[in-house]
Amino acid sequence: MPERKNPSETPFGKEWVMFGQHPGLKTEDLLAFEKTRPHDVQVLPGISIGASLFSDFVSGNNYSANTPDDLVEHGQMPETLVAINKQAVDLFLSNKPVVVRSSATDERGGSGIYDSTFFVPTGNQAEDLARLTEAEREVYRSYFREEGRLFRDGQFSQEGMGLLIHPVIGNQYGNHFMPAFSGVFTMINGEMVMKAVPGLGTKAVALNLDNIMRG
């Protein structure tokens, strides 16, 4: 097994690493937010895998708007994305969890519509590559689920889904690794509004999504 990487030797979580074209709205919003830095809030940089790779995935597997989502988890990854993933896993730190997030081209205002998937890199490239690929397929699959179709009002885009990979900032709590707090950050009329909950922010995202759907 390769030696564990030194945190000072990887840019992961310190600077943006961009692959492909059309990073998706979540990534674009973070990049724009980083430039303004309201209230000195720091943006955690990540690895962006653009929606152009999703287009390669869709066309290479002959998927369409009517493809059942359970077929997508077995889809063949394009060679370009396989090569990108090999570069990405070399940036991960052993035993430091990462999250593979959706960054769809239609996701602004739709937090929680598409999946995010967590896993812990081992430092073994083959194992980490398999876990990353599995996580990416899960996010891609969520684009084909009924919830996604309803959110898009039936629309389908071959360049519909970018990926955003972040290190998870947190601490060990028994057998679990998680942040002390997490949630949803929003700017309303120039004022900062945050919904925070202990641990992972799934409940805060659900509350935000519920408010969006009602509004």
Side-chain angles (χ1 to χ4, degrees):
M1 179 180 295
E3 292 184 4
R4 180 177 298 177
K5 302 176 185 67
N6 186 320
S8 65
E9 296 174 352
T10 174
F12 188 43
K14 301 174 184 176
E15 60 187 62
W16 287 97
V17 180
M18 311 290 289
F19 296 105
Q21 304 296 318
H22 313 299
L25 296 182
K26 186 178 292 179
T27 303
E28 290 176 358
D29 284 350
L30 286 175
L31 291 168
F33 186 85
E34 187 176 45
K35 293 179 181 179
T36 61
R37 292 287 298 276
H39 305 280
D40 294 323
V41 176
Q42 183 176 354
V43 173
L44 180 67
I47 299 171
S48 169
I49 298 178
S52 58
L53 280 306
F54 178 73
S55 178
D56 294 341
F57 177 74
V58 170
S59 60
N61 290 283
N62 295 316
Y63 292 154
S64 70
N66 298 318
T67 300
D69 67 273
D70 58 351
L71 292 181
V72 179
E73 64 180 324
H74 304 294
Q76 183 69 33
M77 289 298 200
E79 292 184 4
T80 305
L81 183 51
V82 172
I84 287 171
N85 286 345
K86 289 179 180 178
Q87 296 180 61
V89 298
D90 283 342
L91 300 177
F92 297 160
L93 294 170
S94 301
N95 301 316
K96 296 295 184 181
V98 302
V99 56
V100 180
R101 309 175 66 194
S102 62
S103 183
T105 57
D106 55 21
E107 198 173 4
R108 183 174 289 124
S111 298
I113 294 294
Y114 303 116
D115 283 357
S116 295
T117 303
F118 297 81
F119 72 95
V120 181
T122 65
N124 180 293
Q125 189 189 59
E127 291 181 13
D128 292 344
L129 184 60
R131 293 293 302 279
L132 175 60
T133 302
E134 179 183 0
E136 290 172 337
R137 283 201 187 99
E138 188 62 28
V139 176
Y140 283 170
R141 177 182 179 179
S142 68
Y143 188 80
F144 292 83
R145 289 191 181 130
E146 186 65 21
E147 295 90 337
R149 298 177 201 269
L150 290 173
F151 176 74
R152 299 190 306 270
D153 196 24
Q155 299 298 310
F156 179 86
S157 171
Q158 190 160 304
E159 286 194 341
M161 181 62 73
L163 300 169
L164 176 57
I165 306 171
H166 271 144
V168 179
I169 305 299
N171 297 292
Q172 190 80 26
Y173 298 94
N175 294 326
H176 302 281
F177 183 98
M178 64 179 69
F181 289 93
S182 56
V184 177
F185 175 85
T186 308
M187 295 295 293
I188 300 178
N189 297 325
E191 296 295 325
M192 182 175 65
V193 178
M194 174 175 282
K195 295 178 180 177
V197 296
L200 295 176
T202 51
K203 187 172 183 180
V205 170
L207 289 170
N208 190 57
L209 177 59
D210 183 57
N211 290 335
I212 290 168
M213 298 299 279
R214 289 181 181 179

